[in-house]
Amino acid sequence: MGKIKSLEELMKIKEEALKNVKMREAGKRGKIVVAMGTCGIAAGAKDTLKAVVETLDELNIDDIAVVQSGCMGLCEVEPTIEVALEGEEPIIYGRVTPENAKRIIKSHIVDGELVSDLIVKRGEV
């Protein structure tokens, strides 16, 4: 990519990026955001991310997007994930080991029941 020379050129790039994001999320009923900041990675977020992807695959769930983010500001309860289903308040889960990730997916995503002992926050971070 060359140097951006005008505000119009920057806005065009932004519109194209937003269009690509919408295309990726189209047809999804929700997403799981895995916090991959340094605190999360140090606490085991890579294993949590792997467990999330593998569990969704094992259960043939393809309408949930998996997204990585930076630190959510909840370092003391890392690894953290946010489960955001369409039409529902986002739920942040903490201390999500690979086993807890599987439990969250089976309970929250499949059965629609929150895993209350792992909830650290409700709503947007």
Side-chain angles (χ1 to χ4, degrees):
M1 176 188 297
K3 193 173 184 178
I4 299 171
K5 297 178 182 169
S6 68
L7 180 60
E8 290 78 24
E9 193 175 340
L10 178 62
M11 296 305 288
K12 186 176 176 182
I13 291 169
K14 178 185 173 187
E15 287 175 23
E16 189 67 32
L18 288 173
K19 183 178 166 187
N20 288 337
V21 169
K22 285 182 182 174
M23 285 176 61
R24 276 189 287 170
E25 294 180 355
K28 303 287 184 188
R29 70 178 165 112
K31 66 181 176 181
I32 297 175
V33 180
V34 181
M36 297 292 286
T38 53
C39 53
I41 291 171
K46 285 183 180 178
D47 292 334
T48 300
L49 174 63
K50 184 178 176 191
V52 167
V53 171
E54 287 176 354
T55 304
L56 290 172
D57 192 44
E58 286 170 12
L59 297 173
N60 293 319
I61 299 171
D62 59 0
D63 59 350
I64 301 293
V66 178
V67 181
Q68 298 178 42
S69 76
C71 179
M72 292 184 187
L74 302 167
C75 305
E76 68 279 4
V77 291
E78 292 288 349
T80 54
I81 67 171
E82 175 188 83
V83 176
L85 299 179
E86 193 173 283
E88 296 181 13
E89 179 182 45
I91 303 293
I92 312 291
Y93 291 103
R95 297 183 177 93
V96 183
T97 62
E99 294 77 25
N100 286 339
K102 291 176 186 178
R103 195 170 128 216
I104 291 166
I105 290 169
K106 289 177 181 171
S107 183
H108 190 148
I109 303 292
V110 175
D111 298 333
E113 297 176 13
L114 301 180
V115 182
S116 35
D117 61 310
L118 297 175
I119 293 174
V120 293
K121 188 171 179 15
R122 292 173 185 254
E124 300 290 331
V125 175

